[in-house]
Amino acid sequence: LCFPRLKCSPSAWHNKYPVAHGSRQSPIDIVPHQASRDPNLSQIVLNYDRCTSINISNNGHSVVVEFDDTDDRSVIQGGPLDNPYRLKQFHFHWGEKGCEGSEHTVSGNSYASELHLVHWNAVKYKTFDEAATAPDGLAVLGIFLDTGDDHRWLHTITDALYMVKFKGSITDFKDFNPKCLLPSSLHYWTYLGSLTTPPLHESVIWIVLKDPITVSEKQLGKFRMLLFTGEEEDQRLRMENNFRPPQPLKGRKVRSSN
Ligand SMILES: NS(=O)(=O)c1ccc(O)c(NC(=O)NCCc2ccccn2)c1
Ligand SMILES: [Zn+2]
């Protein structure tokens, strides 16, 4: 069970969130040659130019960069989406060593980390919270992180991490455009899924890019310096392995852009 002292592991989430055993849970293992190439799937279009990042914070589960989502300046559209979805935040999942850390896997293989850009359907719903409980409410763009050379723009994020070491810490983070975190190709897989953390709502249209971006072990190591615990707690728990393992596909189809 989940006691405040102990971290509640993914395998215990079903006690409080029975949807954990639902029919469209995320993440999943993506098997490329079992994905169906859908010619009707257009390319995805990201309009992040007039991006408005606000702050960066440690919510005790990940590090999150939040955006002003009061208008349609930063949206994702096209692909499987029927209308534009507004960028609200992005965050990361990672492991304790290089060989695991991503949430989605590809033919059983993990990446070192996974970036999630979270968008909501502001055409059909009035607030993020309302959208977060609707079957077509959210669109999350997943980007794999591989280890290798330094990522030339990630340092703007890793340089700020010392400011949000403790759970509950937050600091200004203006004028960051996540476009600099995209890989060269926007080819993707897409399927219907859920939030990968409690409350695990089955409200996400997942768009997972096929190509990873490359970051260095040194840059990734800075994420592992973050803490799950607050400044006032005596126990210091390093923030790592904040990823949920793949969940049953339960008959779902994964589609592939060309
Ligand atoms: N990981 S994900 O599916 O992209 C995603 C996107 C938007 C979200 O609000 C969430 N979940 C979320 O914010 N949950 C509340 C905070 C929390 C509670 C427990 C574990 C991790 N995070 C997950
Ligand atoms: Zn996530």
Side-chain angles (χ1 to χ4, degrees), residues 225-237:
M225 200 202 70
L226 296 167
L227 299 177
F228 281 125
T229 44
E231 191 163 9
E232 72 294 339
E233 295 181 57
D234 46 13
Q235 214 183 3
R236 288 198 161 195
L237 294 175

Side-chain angles (χ1 to χ4, degrees), residues 7-8 13 17 26 59-62 89 91 93 103 116-118 128 132 138 140 194-200 204 206:
K7 276 194 46 48
C8 192
W13 288 347
Y17 305 95
S26 292
N59 67 5
H61 309 288
S62 182
Q89 54 106 320
H91 62 273
H93 302 265
E103 298 213 296
H116 289 159
L117 291 133
V118 182
F128 172 84
L138 303 181
V140 181
S194 73
L195 299 181
T196 64
T197 68
L200 301 170
V204 182
W206 277 95

